[in-house]
Amino acid sequence: MSYSVGQVAGFAGVTVRTLHHYDEIGLLVPGGRSHAGHRRYDDADLDRLQQILFYRELGFPLEEVAALLDDPKADPRAHLRRQHELLTARIERLQKMAAAVEHAMEARRMGINLTPEERFEVFGDKDPEAHAEEAERRWGGTDAYTESQRRAATYTKDDWQHMQAEVASWGERYDDLMAAGEPSSGEAAMAMAEEHRRHITKWFYECTYEAHQGLADMYVSDERFKQFYESMRPGLAEHLREAITANAARHTA
């Protein structure tokens, strides 16, 4: 059984020109010719081509491939064992590379342009991914989400630390406000709600009063977001939602 150069090119996923080149340099000389002088490849030729392509995939230059395959002392089984070892090692390297790329993709998806060390330094024991998945589920594909991701991807460690400091300061002052017994519909609470809305607009996306009210509902209904505000002071999530609602009402009336 023999095969034409076109058939072999199709089997092997190479070009006819490549097979012609291999023939010209003596790397793969077909075992026969047709009556018209066309190349014909037999099973032994296909075995050799497979060996060539294995070595080429591993990065061996053609000259070295020829030397390896034409070594009279070489055992075909030894070639396969060697290629298996080399391919296994390459697969391990590629898997590590793929894992590194996935890590980078996840960081980009989250919009956090920080090294692992910087992320731990900035966020401490808080996991930004805890909110990232929920945010993408709720708003992925919206203009606000896209803008938020775009901005966050440009922030440096100093930017994140500045943002965190603003949040901490706001939380301390809201805690004081509640300790003083200020009502959620009072001027002080509404001013804090307005500051909260502007913080989102400043750092992430244009937060309208309507969008702010949607966020406020989530701060109470979603345990992950509620826990964040409750860690500042028990009852703060509900108090803030009412303050945001009151502040939106006075600005959109």
Side-chain angles (χ1 to χ4, degrees), residues 194-228:
E194 179 64 14
E195 182 180 336
H196 182 277
R197 187 187 69 83
R198 290 180 179 178
H199 174 88
I200 296 172
T201 295
K202 172 185 176 181
W203 290 101
F204 298 106
Y205 58 88
E206 183 65 36
C207 184
T208 65
Y209 290 103
E210 181 182 3
H212 203 204
Q213 290 181 87
L215 291 174
D217 290 337
M218 185 184 66
Y219 296 158
V220 174
S221 63
D222 189 289
E223 286 301 320
R224 285 169 293 186
F225 288 92
K226 184 177 182 179
Q227 184 180 9
F228 173 76

PDB file of all heavy atoms in Angstrom, residues 194-228:
ATOM      1  N   GLU A 194     -24.647  60.140  50.485  1.00  0.00           N
ATOM      2  CA  GLU A 194     -24.201  60.845  49.284  1.00  0.00           C
ATOM      3  C   GLU A 194     -22.694  60.678  49.082  1.00  0.00           C
ATOM      4  O   GLU A 194     -22.219  60.488  47.952  1.00  0.00           O
ATOM      5  CB  GLU A 194     -24.566  62.317  49.380  1.00  0.00           C
ATOM      6  CG  GLU A 194     -24.125  63.161  48.194  1.00  0.00           C
ATOM      7  CD  GLU A 194     -24.800  62.779  46.890  1.00  0.00           C
ATOM      8  OE1 GLU A 194     -25.821  62.038  46.911  1.00  0.00           O
ATOM      9  OE2 GLU A 194     -24.308  63.217  45.828  1.00  0.00           O
ATOM     10  N   GLU A 195     -21.943  60.712  50.170  1.00  0.00           N
ATOM     11  CA  GLU A 195     -20.493  60.494  50.085  1.00  0.00           C
ATOM     12  C   GLU A 195     -20.206  59.084  49.575  1.00  0.00           C
ATOM     13  O   GLU A 195     -19.284  58.877  48.773  1.00  0.00           O
ATOM     14  CB  GLU A 195     -19.853  60.690  51.465  1.00  0.00           C
ATOM     15  CG  GLU A 195     -18.337  60.519  51.462  1.00  0.00           C
ATOM     16  CD  GLU A 195     -17.713  60.717  52.828  1.00  0.00           C
ATOM     17  OE1 GLU A 195     -18.321  61.407  53.676  1.00  0.00           O
ATOM     18  OE2 GLU A 195     -16.608  60.182  53.053  1.00  0.00           O
ATOM     19  N   HIS A 196     -20.994  58.135  50.023  1.00  0.00           N
ATOM     20  CA  HIS A 196     -20.853  56.742  49.584  1.00  0.00           C
ATOM     21  C   HIS A 196     -21.083  56.637  48.073  1.00  0.00           C
ATOM     22  O   HIS A 196     -20.325  55.976  47.355  1.00  0.00           O
ATOM     23  CB  HIS A 196     -21.872  55.888  50.351  1.00  0.00           C
ATOM     24  CG  HIS A 196     -21.816  54.424  50.053  1.00  0.00           C
ATOM     25  ND1 HIS A 196     -22.444  53.859  48.964  1.00  0.00           N
ATOM     26  CD2 HIS A 196     -21.214  53.405  50.709  1.00  0.00           C
ATOM     27  CE1 HIS A 196     -22.231  52.551  48.963  1.00  0.00           C
ATOM     28  NE2 HIS A 196     -21.490  52.247  50.016  1.00  0.00           N
ATOM     29  N   ARG A 197     -22.126  57.288  47.577  1.00  0.00           N
ATOM     30  CA  ARG A 197     -22.429  57.264  46.142  1.00  0.00           C
ATOM     31  C   ARG A 197     -21.306  57.899  45.339  1.00  0.00           C
ATOM     32  O   ARG A 197     -20.898  57.377  44.283  1.00  0.00           O
ATOM     33  CB  ARG A 197     -23.751  57.998  45.880  1.00  0.00           C
ATOM     34  CG  ARG A 197     -24.252  57.903  44.443  1.00  0.00           C
ATOM     35  CD  ARG A 197     -25.470  58.790  44.207  1.00  0.00           C
ATOM     36  NE  ARG A 197     -25.103  60.202  44.258  1.00  0.00           N
ATOM     37  CZ  ARG A 197     -24.586  60.876  43.221  1.00  0.00           C
ATOM     38  NH1 ARG A 197     -24.379  60.261  42.053  1.00  0.00           N
ATOM     39  NH2 ARG A 197     -24.279  62.157  43.335  1.00  0.00           N
ATOM     40  N   ARG A 198     -20.794  59.023  45.806  1.00  0.00           N
ATOM     41  CA  ARG A 198     -19.722  59.711  45.084  1.00  0.00           C
ATOM     42  C   ARG A 198     -18.426  58.908  45.096  1.00  0.00           C
ATOM     43  O   ARG A 198     -17.634  58.994  44.142  1.00  0.00           O
ATOM     44  CB  ARG A 198     -19.519  61.095  45.694  1.00  0.00           C
ATOM     45  CG  ARG A 198     -20.677  62.053  45.419  1.00  0.00           C
ATOM     46  CD  ARG A 198     -20.451  63.416  46.035  1.00  0.00           C
ATOM     47  NE  ARG A 198     -21.565  64.318  45.735  1.00  0.00           N
ATOM     48  CZ  ARG A 198     -21.642  65.560  46.186  1.00  0.00           C
ATOM     49  NH1 ARG A 198     -20.683  66.065  46.956  1.00  0.00           N
ATOM     50  NH2 ARG A 198     -22.693  66.312  45.860  1.00  0.00           N
ATOM     51  N   HIS A 199     -18.207  58.156  46.156  1.00  0.00           N
ATOM     52  CA  HIS A 199     -17.021  57.292  46.219  1.00  0.00           C
ATOM     53  C   HIS A 199     -17.077  56.255  45.087  1.00  0.00           C
ATOM     54  O   HIS A 199     -16.071  56.007  44.412  1.00  0.00           O
ATOM     55  CB  HIS A 199     -16.971  56.582  47.582  1.00  0.00           C
ATOM     56  CG  HIS A 199     -15.878  55.562  47.694  1.00  0.00           C
ATOM     57  ND1 HIS A 199     -14.604  55.875  48.108  1.00  0.00           N
ATOM     58  CD2 HIS A 199     -15.870  54.221  47.433  1.00  0.00           C
ATOM     59  CE1 HIS A 199     -13.863  54.779  48.108  1.00  0.00           C
ATOM     60  NE2 HIS A 199     -14.605  53.761  47.695  1.00  0.00           N
ATOM     61  N   ILE A 200     -18.248  55.671  44.870  1.00  0.00           N
ATOM     62  CA  ILE A 200     -18.405  54.683  43.797  1.00  0.00           C
ATOM     63  C   ILE A 200     -18.181  55.346  42.440  1.00  0.00           C
ATOM     64  O   ILE A 200     -17.493  54.805  41.564  1.00  0.00           O
ATOM     65  CB  ILE A 200     -19.809  54.049  43.862  1.00  0.00           C
ATOM     66  CG1 ILE A 200     -19.965  53.265  45.159  1.00  0.00           C
ATOM     67  CG2 ILE A 200     -20.047  53.136  42.650  1.00  0.00           C
ATOM     68  CD1 ILE A 200     -21.372  52.766  45.410  1.00  0.00           C
ATOM     69  N   THR A 201     -18.751  56.539  42.272  1.00  0.00           N
ATOM     70  CA  THR A 201     -18.585  57.267  41.010  1.00  0.00           C
ATOM     71  C   THR A 201     -17.123  57.618  40.771  1.00  0.00           C
ATOM     72  O   THR A 201     -16.623  57.524  39.642  1.00  0.00           O
ATOM     73  CB  THR A 201     -19.439  58.548  41.018  1.00  0.00           C
ATOM     74  OG1 THR A 201     -20.825  58.184  41.063  1.00  0.00           O
ATOM     75  CG2 THR A 201     -19.181  59.395  39.783  1.00  0.00           C
ATOM     76  N   LYS A 202     -16.440  57.997  41.816  1.00  0.00           N
ATOM     77  CA  LYS A 202     -15.039  58.395  41.703  1.00  0.00           C
ATOM     78  C   LYS A 202     -14.150  57.223  41.294  1.00  0.00           C
ATOM     79  O   LYS A 202     -13.287  57.366  40.415  1.00  0.00           O
ATOM     80  CB  LYS A 202     -14.554  58.966  43.034  1.00  0.00           C
ATOM     81  CG  LYS A 202     -13.053  59.237  43.100  1.00  0.00           C
ATOM     82  CD  LYS A 202     -12.641  59.691  44.493  1.00  0.00           C
ATOM     83  CE  LYS A 202     -11.120  59.860  44.600  1.00  0.00           C
ATOM     84  NZ  LYS A 202     -10.711  60.277  45.966  1.00  0.00           N
ATOM     85  N   TRP A 203     -14.368  56.067  41.886  1.00  0.00           N
ATOM     86  CA  TRP A 203     -13.442  54.957  41.717  1.00  0.00           C
ATOM     87  C   TRP A 203     -13.879  53.921  40.681  1.00  0.00           C
ATOM     88  O   TRP A 203     -13.026  53.222  40.120  1.00  0.00           O
ATOM     89  CB  TRP A 203     -13.211  54.250  43.048  1.00  0.00           C
ATOM     90  CG  TRP A 203     -12.420  55.058  44.034  1.00  0.00           C
ATOM     91  CD1 TRP A 203     -12.901  55.764  45.087  1.00  0.00           C
ATOM     92  CD2 TRP A 203     -11.003  55.252  44.039  1.00  0.00           C
ATOM     93  NE1 TRP A 203     -11.881  56.389  45.761  1.00  0.00           N
ATOM     94  CE2 TRP A 203     -10.693  56.085  45.138  1.00  0.00           C
ATOM     95  CE3 TRP A 203      -9.958  54.808  43.233  1.00  0.00           C
ATOM     96  CZ2 TRP A 203      -9.396  56.482  45.441  1.00  0.00           C
ATOM     97  CZ3 TRP A 203      -8.661  55.192  43.534  1.00  0.00           C
ATOM     98  CH2 TRP A 203      -8.388  56.018  44.629  1.00  0.00           C
ATOM     99  N   PHE A 204     -15.185  53.802  40.441  1.00  0.00           N
ATOM    100  CA  PHE A 204     -15.627  52.685  39.609  1.00  0.00           C
ATOM    101  C   PHE A 204     -16.479  53.082  38.407  1.00  0.00           C
ATOM    102  O   PHE A 204     -16.104  52.794  37.268  1.00  0.00           O
ATOM    103  CB  PHE A 204     -16.367  51.665  40.482  1.00  0.00           C
ATOM    104  CG  PHE A 204     -15.477  51.074  41.549  1.00  0.00           C
ATOM    105  CD1 PHE A 204     -15.611  51.443  42.876  1.00  0.00           C
ATOM    106  CD2 PHE A 204     -14.491  50.158  41.219  1.00  0.00           C
ATOM    107  CE1 PHE A 204     -14.788  50.915  43.857  1.00  0.00           C
ATOM    108  CE2 PHE A 204     -13.651  49.616  42.186  1.00  0.00           C
ATOM    109  CZ  PHE A 204     -13.801  50.007  43.515  1.00  0.00           C
ATOM    110  N   TYR A 205     -17.614  53.690  38.608  1.00  0.00           N
ATOM    111  CA  TYR A 205     -18.486  54.035  37.483  1.00  0.00           C
ATOM    112  C   TYR A 205     -19.467  55.096  37.950  1.00  0.00           C
ATOM    113  O   TYR A 205     -19.612  55.357  39.153  1.00  0.00           O
ATOM    114  CB  TYR A 205     -19.252  52.806  36.980  1.00  0.00           C
ATOM    115  CG  TYR A 205     -20.110  52.144  38.029  1.00  0.00           C
ATOM    116  CD1 TYR A 205     -21.432  52.546  38.260  1.00  0.00           C
ATOM    117  CD2 TYR A 205     -19.598  51.122  38.824  1.00  0.00           C
ATOM    118  CE1 TYR A 205     -22.214  51.960  39.234  1.00  0.00           C
ATOM    119  CE2 TYR A 205     -20.366  50.531  39.807  1.00  0.00           C
ATOM    120  CZ  TYR A 205     -21.674  50.944  40.014  1.00  0.00           C
ATOM    121  OH  TYR A 205     -22.445  50.362  40.983  1.00  0.00           O
ATOM    122  N   GLU A 206     -20.147  55.724  37.011  1.00  0.00           N
ATOM    123  CA  GLU A 206     -21.132  56.754  37.329  1.00  0.00           C
ATOM    124  C   GLU A 206     -22.318  56.097  38.044  1.00  0.00           C
ATOM    125  O   GLU A 206     -23.110  55.388  37.423  1.00  0.00           O
ATOM    126  CB  GLU A 206     -21.599  57.433  36.045  1.00  0.00           C
ATOM    127  CG  GLU A 206     -22.567  58.584  36.276  1.00  0.00           C
ATOM    128  CD  GLU A 206     -21.921  59.740  37.033  1.00  0.00           C
ATOM    129  OE1 GLU A 206     -20.716  59.994  36.803  1.00  0.00           O
ATOM    130  OE2 GLU A 206     -22.623  60.379  37.832  1.00  0.00           O
ATOM    131  N   CYS A 207     -22.407  56.325  39.334  1.00  0.00           N
ATOM    132  CA  CYS A 207     -23.445  55.693  40.147  1.00  0.00           C
ATOM    133  C   CYS A 207     -24.634  56.638  40.277  1.00  0.00           C
ATOM    134  O   CYS A 207     -24.596  57.607  41.042  1.00  0.00           O
ATOM    135  CB  CYS A 207     -22.894  55.326  41.528  1.00  0.00           C
ATOM    136  SG  CYS A 207     -24.070  54.443  42.559  1.00  0.00           S
ATOM    137  N   THR A 208     -25.693  56.355  39.534  1.00  0.00           N
ATOM    138  CA  THR A 208     -26.891  57.184  39.613  1.00  0.00           C
ATOM    139  C   THR A 208     -27.617  56.900  40.932  1.00  0.00           C
ATOM    140  O   THR A 208     -27.340  55.916  41.622  1.00  0.00           O
ATOM    141  CB  THR A 208     -27.834  56.877  38.444  1.00  0.00           C
ATOM    142  OG1 THR A 208     -28.300  55.517  38.578  1.00  0.00           O
ATOM    143  CG2 THR A 208     -27.120  57.042  37.112  1.00  0.00           C
ATOM    144  N   TYR A 209     -28.587  57.757  41.261  1.00  0.00           N
ATOM    145  CA  TYR A 209     -29.360  57.537  42.483  1.00  0.00           C
ATOM    146  C   TYR A 209     -30.170  56.240  42.381  1.00  0.00           C
ATOM    147  O   TYR A 209     -30.321  55.504  43.372  1.00  0.00           O
ATOM    148  CB  TYR A 209     -30.261  58.736  42.762  1.00  0.00           C
ATOM    149  CG  TYR A 209     -29.472  59.958  43.182  1.00  0.00           C
ATOM    150  CD1 TYR A 209     -29.234  61.005  42.292  1.00  0.00           C
ATOM    151  CD2 TYR A 209     -28.937  60.047  44.465  1.00  0.00           C
ATOM    152  CE1 TYR A 209     -28.480  62.110  42.666  1.00  0.00           C
ATOM    153  CE2 TYR A 209     -28.182  61.148  44.856  1.00  0.00           C
ATOM    154  CZ  TYR A 209     -27.958  62.177  43.948  1.00  0.00           C
ATOM    155  OH  TYR A 209     -27.197  63.264  44.331  1.00  0.00           O
ATOM    156  N   GLU A 210     -30.661  55.948  41.198  1.00  0.00           N
ATOM    157  CA  GLU A 210     -31.408  54.712  41.010  1.00  0.00           C
ATOM    158  C   GLU A 210     -30.510  53.495  41.220  1.00  0.00           C
ATOM    159  O   GLU A 210     -30.880  52.528  41.898  1.00  0.00           O
ATOM    160  CB  GLU A 210     -32.009  54.680  39.607  1.00  0.00           C
ATOM    161  CG  GLU A 210     -32.832  53.429  39.326  1.00  0.00           C
ATOM    162  CD  GLU A 210     -33.381  53.399  37.912  1.00  0.00           C
ATOM    163  OE1 GLU A 210     -33.072  54.323  37.131  1.00  0.00           O
ATOM    164  OE2 GLU A 210     -34.117  52.446  37.590  1.00  0.00           O
ATOM    165  N   ALA A 211     -29.308  53.542  40.622  1.00  0.00           N
ATOM    166  CA  ALA A 211     -28.363  52.446  40.789  1.00  0.00           C
ATOM    167  C   ALA A 211     -27.942  52.314  42.246  1.00  0.00           C
ATOM    168  O   ALA A 211     -27.771  51.199  42.762  1.00  0.00           O
ATOM    169  CB  ALA A 211     -27.142  52.672  39.905  1.00  0.00           C
ATOM    170  N   HIS A 212     -27.793  53.451  42.915  1.00  0.00           N
ATOM    171  CA  HIS A 212     -27.390  53.443  44.320  1.00  0.00           C
ATOM    172  C   HIS A 212     -28.438  52.728  45.177  1.00  0.00           C
ATOM    173  O   HIS A 212     -28.109  51.964  46.092  1.00  0.00           O
ATOM    174  CB  HIS A 212     -27.174  54.882  44.803  1.00  0.00           C
ATOM    175  CG  HIS A 212     -26.274  54.975  45.984  1.00  0.00           C
ATOM    176  ND1 HIS A 212     -26.312  56.046  46.864  1.00  0.00           N
ATOM    177  CD2 HIS A 212     -25.300  54.150  46.453  1.00  0.00           C
ATOM    178  CE1 HIS A 212     -25.408  55.879  47.792  1.00  0.00           C
ATOM    179  NE2 HIS A 212     -24.776  54.738  47.574  1.00  0.00           N
ATOM    180  N   GLN A 213     -29.706  52.955  44.893  1.00  0.00           N
ATOM    181  CA  GLN A 213     -30.763  52.277  45.636  1.00  0.00           C
ATOM    182  C   GLN A 213     -30.734  50.767  45.374  1.00  0.00           C
ATOM    183  O   GLN A 213     -30.988  49.973  46.288  1.00  0.00           O
ATOM    184  CB  GLN A 213     -32.125  52.848  45.232  1.00  0.00           C
ATOM    185  CG  GLN A 213     -32.360  54.272  45.714  1.00  0.00           C
ATOM    186  CD  GLN A 213     -33.732  54.785  45.314  1.00  0.00           C
ATOM    187  OE1 GLN A 213     -34.708  54.576  46.021  1.00  0.00           O
ATOM    188  NE2 GLN A 213     -33.790  55.470  44.168  1.00  0.00           N
ATOM    189  N   GLY A 214     -30.403  50.388  44.147  1.00  0.00           N
ATOM    190  CA  GLY A 214     -30.274  48.964  43.849  1.00  0.00           C
ATOM    191  C   GLY A 214     -29.150  48.331  44.643  1.00  0.00           C
ATOM    192  O   GLY A 214     -29.280  47.214  45.165  1.00  0.00           O
ATOM    193  N   LEU A 215     -28.042  49.047  44.764  1.00  0.00           N
ATOM    194  CA  LEU A 215     -26.934  48.558  45.568  1.00  0.00           C
ATOM    195  C   LEU A 215     -27.341  48.448  47.036  1.00  0.00           C
ATOM    196  O   LEU A 215     -26.996  47.480  47.722  1.00  0.00           O
ATOM    197  CB  LEU A 215     -25.730  49.503  45.438  1.00  0.00           C
ATOM    198  CG  LEU A 215     -25.024  49.527  44.087  1.00  0.00           C
ATOM    199  CD1 LEU A 215     -23.960  50.619  44.078  1.00  0.00           C
ATOM    200  CD2 LEU A 215     -24.390  48.184  43.772  1.00  0.00           C
ATOM    201  N   ALA A 216     -28.075  49.446  47.513  1.00  0.00           N
ATOM    202  CA  ALA A 216     -28.491  49.460  48.914  1.00  0.00           C
ATOM    203  C   ALA A 216     -29.325  48.228  49.254  1.00  0.00           C
ATOM    204  O   ALA A 216     -29.155  47.622  50.327  1.00  0.00           O
ATOM    205  CB  ALA A 216     -29.278  50.733  49.213  1.00  0.00           C
ATOM    206  N   ASP A 217     -30.218  47.844  48.361  1.00  0.00           N
ATOM    207  CA  ASP A 217     -31.025  46.640  48.585  1.00  0.00           C
ATOM    208  C   ASP A 217     -30.128  45.401  48.656  1.00  0.00           C
ATOM    209  O   ASP A 217     -30.359  44.504  49.473  1.00  0.00           O
ATOM    210  CB  ASP A 217     -32.047  46.479  47.459  1.00  0.00           C
ATOM    211  CG  ASP A 217     -33.149  47.526  47.519  1.00  0.00           C
ATOM    212  OD1 ASP A 217     -33.378  48.084  48.610  1.00  0.00           O
ATOM    213  OD2 ASP A 217     -33.771  47.797  46.470  1.00  0.00           O
ATOM    214  N   MET A 218     -29.118  45.355  47.810  1.00  0.00           N
ATOM    215  CA  MET A 218     -28.208  44.218  47.810  1.00  0.00           C
ATOM    216  C   MET A 218     -27.381  44.156  49.085  1.00  0.00           C
ATOM    217  O   MET A 218     -27.070  43.074  49.591  1.00  0.00           O
ATOM    218  CB  MET A 218     -27.278  44.297  46.591  1.00  0.00           C
ATOM    219  CG  MET A 218     -26.376  43.093  46.430  1.00  0.00           C
ATOM    220  SD  MET A 218     -25.239  43.314  45.047  1.00  0.00           S
ATOM    221  CE  MET A 218     -24.236  44.674  45.652  1.00  0.00           C
ATOM    222  N   TYR A 219     -27.014  45.312  49.638  1.00  0.00           N
ATOM    223  CA  TYR A 219     -26.225  45.330  50.873  1.00  0.00           C
ATOM    224  C   TYR A 219     -26.962  44.639  52.010  1.00  0.00           C
ATOM    225  O   TYR A 219     -26.339  44.143  52.952  1.00  0.00           O
ATOM    226  CB  TYR A 219     -25.905  46.765  51.285  1.00  0.00           C
ATOM    227  CG  TYR A 219     -25.035  47.521  50.298  1.00  0.00           C
ATOM    228  CD1 TYR A 219     -25.032  48.918  50.274  1.00  0.00           C
ATOM    229  CD2 TYR A 219     -24.216  46.847  49.393  1.00  0.00           C
ATOM    230  CE1 TYR A 219     -24.248  49.617  49.374  1.00  0.00           C
ATOM    231  CE2 TYR A 219     -23.434  47.546  48.492  1.00  0.00           C
ATOM    232  CZ  TYR A 219     -23.459  48.937  48.486  1.00  0.00           C
ATOM    233  OH  TYR A 219     -22.680  49.631  47.597  1.00  0.00           O
ATOM    234  N   VAL A 220     -28.277  44.589  51.927  1.00  0.00           N
ATOM    235  CA  VAL A 220     -29.072  43.947  52.969  1.00  0.00           C
ATOM    236  C   VAL A 220     -29.421  42.510  52.599  1.00  0.00           C
ATOM    237  O   VAL A 220     -29.396  41.611  53.438  1.00  0.00           O
ATOM    238  CB  VAL A 220     -30.367  44.751  53.236  1.00  0.00           C
ATOM    239  CG1 VAL A 220     -31.278  44.019  54.213  1.00  0.00           C
ATOM    240  CG2 VAL A 220     -30.025  46.138  53.764  1.00  0.00           C
ATOM    241  N   SER A 221     -29.729  42.280  51.327  1.00  0.00           N
ATOM    242  CA  SER A 221     -30.219  40.960  50.908  1.00  0.00           C
ATOM    243  C   SER A 221     -29.115  39.948  50.651  1.00  0.00           C
ATOM    244  O   SER A 221     -29.338  38.740  50.803  1.00  0.00           O
ATOM    245  CB  SER A 221     -31.072  41.099  49.645  1.00  0.00           C
ATOM    246  OG  SER A 221     -30.285  41.600  48.556  1.00  0.00           O
ATOM    247  N   ASP A 222     -27.939  40.404  50.261  1.00  0.00           N
ATOM    248  CA  ASP A 222     -26.840  39.490  49.957  1.00  0.00           C
ATOM    249  C   ASP A 222     -25.910  39.386  51.170  1.00  0.00           C
ATOM    250  O   ASP A 222     -25.333  40.390  51.603  1.00  0.00           O
ATOM    251  CB  ASP A 222     -26.071  39.969  48.726  1.00  0.00           C
ATOM    252  CG  ASP A 222     -25.063  38.929  48.243  1.00  0.00           C
ATOM    253  OD1 ASP A 222     -24.048  38.726  48.936  1.00  0.00           O
ATOM    254  OD2 ASP A 222     -25.290  38.334  47.182  1.00  0.00           O
ATOM    255  N   GLU A 223     -25.750  38.187  51.699  1.00  0.00           N
ATOM    256  CA  GLU A 223     -24.989  38.000  52.933  1.00  0.00           C
ATOM    257  C   GLU A 223     -23.543  38.430  52.803  1.00  0.00           C
ATOM    258  O   GLU A 223     -22.953  38.935  53.753  1.00  0.00           O
ATOM    259  CB  GLU A 223     -25.053  36.532  53.373  1.00  0.00           C
ATOM    260  CG  GLU A 223     -26.383  36.125  53.960  1.00  0.00           C
ATOM    261  CD  GLU A 223     -26.749  36.965  55.191  1.00  0.00           C
ATOM    262  OE1 GLU A 223     -25.864  37.249  56.005  1.00  0.00           O
ATOM    263  OE2 GLU A 223     -27.924  37.345  55.303  1.00  0.00           O
ATOM    264  N   ARG A 224     -22.940  38.228  51.616  1.00  0.00           N
ATOM    265  CA  ARG A 224     -21.531  38.598  51.463  1.00  0.00           C
ATOM    266  C   ARG A 224     -21.337  40.106  51.563  1.00  0.00           C
ATOM    267  O   ARG A 224     -20.410  40.585  52.215  1.00  0.00           O
ATOM    268  CB  ARG A 224     -21.000  38.075  50.129  1.00  0.00           C
ATOM    269  CG  ARG A 224     -20.740  36.587  50.128  1.00  0.00           C
ATOM    270  CD  ARG A 224     -20.476  36.052  48.743  1.00  0.00           C
ATOM    271  NE  ARG A 224     -21.684  36.133  47.904  1.00  0.00           N
ATOM    272  CZ  ARG A 224     -21.747  35.620  46.680  1.00  0.00           C
ATOM    273  NH1 ARG A 224     -20.705  35.033  46.147  1.00  0.00           N
ATOM    274  NH2 ARG A 224     -22.869  35.716  45.986  1.00  0.00           N
ATOM    275  N   PHE A 225     -22.216  40.855  50.935  1.00  0.00           N
ATOM    276  CA  PHE A 225     -22.114  42.310  51.007  1.00  0.00           C
ATOM    277  C   PHE A 225     -22.577  42.815  52.374  1.00  0.00           C
ATOM    278  O   PHE A 225     -21.995  43.750  52.922  1.00  0.00           O
ATOM    279  CB  PHE A 225     -22.948  42.952  49.886  1.00  0.00           C
ATOM    280  CG  PHE A 225     -22.345  42.768  48.522  1.00  0.00           C
ATOM    281  CD1 PHE A 225     -22.688  41.683  47.730  1.00  0.00           C
ATOM    282  CD2 PHE A 225     -21.425  43.675  48.030  1.00  0.00           C
ATOM    283  CE1 PHE A 225     -22.120  41.511  46.481  1.00  0.00           C
ATOM    284  CE2 PHE A 225     -20.857  43.516  46.774  1.00  0.00           C
ATOM    285  CZ  PHE A 225     -21.208  42.426  45.994  1.00  0.00           C
ATOM    286  N   LYS A 226     -23.604  42.180  52.906  1.00  0.00           N
ATOM    287  CA  LYS A 226     -24.105  42.598  54.219  1.00  0.00           C
ATOM    288  C   LYS A 226     -23.031  42.433  55.283  1.00  0.00           C
ATOM    289  O   LYS A 226     -22.852  43.299  56.158  1.00  0.00           O
ATOM    290  CB  LYS A 226     -25.346  41.787  54.590  1.00  0.00           C
ATOM    291  CG  LYS A 226     -25.986  42.223  55.908  1.00  0.00           C
ATOM    292  CD  LYS A 226     -27.263  41.433  56.177  1.00  0.00           C
ATOM    293  CE  LYS A 226     -27.913  41.902  57.476  1.00  0.00           C
ATOM    294  NZ  LYS A 226     -29.173  41.167  57.738  1.00  0.00           N
ATOM    295  N   GLN A 227     -22.308  41.332  55.221  1.00  0.00           N
ATOM    296  CA  GLN A 227     -21.261  41.069  56.201  1.00  0.00           C
ATOM    297  C   GLN A 227     -20.193  42.160  56.188  1.00  0.00           C
ATOM    298  O   GLN A 227     -19.652  42.529  57.231  1.00  0.00           O
ATOM    299  CB  GLN A 227     -20.626  39.711  55.925  1.00  0.00           C
ATOM    300  CG  GLN A 227     -19.580  39.298  56.953  1.00  0.00           C
ATOM    301  CD  GLN A 227     -18.990  37.938  56.636  1.00  0.00           C
ATOM    302  OE1 GLN A 227     -19.233  37.368  55.572  1.00  0.00           O
ATOM    303  NE2 GLN A 227     -18.220  37.409  57.557  1.00  0.00           N
ATOM    304  N   PHE A 228     -19.898  42.680  55.005  1.00  0.00           N
ATOM    305  CA  PHE A 228     -18.889  43.729  54.889  1.00  0.00           C
ATOM    306  C   PHE A 228     -19.299  44.958  55.704  1.00  0.00           C
ATOM    307  O   PHE A 228     -18.503  45.511  56.467  1.00  0.00           O
ATOM    308  CB  PHE A 228     -18.702  44.107  53.413  1.00  0.00           C
ATOM    309  CG  PHE A 228     -17.793  45.297  53.204  1.00  0.00           C
ATOM    310  CD1 PHE A 228     -16.423  45.166  53.316  1.00  0.00           C
ATOM    311  CD2 PHE A 228     -18.326  46.540  52.907  1.00  0.00           C
ATOM    312  CE1 PHE A 228     -15.582  46.257  53.121  1.00  0.00           C
ATOM    313  CE2 PHE A 228     -17.508  47.640  52.711  1.00  0.00           C
ATOM    314  CZ  PHE A 228     -16.127  47.496  52.824  1.00  0.00           C
TER     315      PHE A 228
END
